[in-house]
Amino acid sequence: MRQNEVIGRVAVFKREINMNKKKVVLGGIGKLKVRDDWRRQGVATKLIDQAMPLFEKMGCDLVYLCTNIQNPIMTKFYEKYGFRYFEPGCEYCGKSGKKYHETGAMFAAVNTSLYEWLMNHTKPISIGCGNW
């Protein structure tokens, strides 16, 4: 590997949404990518290890991500960080205003009471405009 060569990336997001008639600060993980020749070497783990503590510092209540829920490698990876599959899914609007339904939603807790409410919720949650 050459010095300063990019082998992986992750993006951290934050937005305010309304959930259960309350303002909620939703953190998000997106754009996780590891170069093919560096996979299975702990790069994604290091990226998420660095990303997760940021959500508490940013004042987030929950952390959201979307993944291929049919891929057990991915779901097990995120479960190590406290993420759980949210079966009802999430709704969001695109830039054009069109509404989308996402079925690969996983959430992790920063605010435990809100997280428990969410995980017992039976309808899709609106996460605002744009998916990470």
Side-chain angles (χ1 to χ4, degrees), residues 37-62:
D37 57 328
W38 279 88
R39 290 191 178 169
R40 311 287 299 162
Q41 296 182 49
V43 176
T45 297
K46 288 179 183 173
L47 291 169
I48 299 299
D49 283 347
Q50 291 180 2
M52 289 304 289
L54 297 175
F55 295 110
E56 189 170 357
K57 291 178 184 175
M58 294 184 330
C60 296
D61 297 301
L62 297 166

Side-chain angles (χ1 to χ4, degrees), residues 1-130:
M1 180 175 91
R2 290 171 282 179
Q3 191 172 358
N4 298 324
E5 188 175 9
V6 176
I7 60 172
R9 69 166 191 231
V10 66
V12 174
F13 300 93
K14 173 184 160 182
R15 71 170 63 141
E16 290 183 6
I17 63 171
N18 289 312
M19 186 182 290
N20 195 24
K21 300 180 182 177
K22 294 183 211 175
K23 182 180 89 169
V24 172
V25 180
L26 180 65
I29 290 179
K31 302 181 183 187
L32 178 63
K33 176 78 174 151
V34 175
R35 212 171 71 186
D36 289 345
D37 57 328
W38 279 88
R39 290 191 178 169
R40 311 287 299 162
Q41 296 182 49
V43 176
T45 297
K46 288 179 183 173
L47 291 169
I48 299 299
D49 283 347
Q50 291 180 2
M52 289 304 289
L54 297 175
F55 295 110
E56 189 170 357
K57 291 178 184 175
M58 294 184 330
C60 296
D61 297 301
L62 297 166
V63 184
Y64 160 81
L65 62 82
C66 182
T67 191
N68 177 358
I69 213 69
Q70 303 302 318
N71 182 338
I73 293 170
M74 294 307 299
T75 55
K76 285 180 184 177
F77 173 75
Y78 289 121
E79 285 169 353
K80 291 188 306 188
Y81 295 94
F83 284 91
R84 285 181 27 211
Y85 174 53
F86 182 64
E87 191 170 346
C90 294
E91 296 174 343
Y92 65 95
C93 63
K95 290 181 182 178
S96 68
K98 180 179 175 182
K99 290 193 175 204
Y100 296 91
H101 181 84
E102 183 57 62
T103 58
M106 295 184 84
F107 285 92
V110 179
N111 174 330
T112 323
S113 61
L114 183 60
Y115 177 75
E116 289 306 319
W117 174 86
L118 172 68
M119 296 314 289
N120 289 309
H121 197 69
T122 58
K123 294 181 181 174
I125 296 294
S126 174
I127 61 167
C129 286

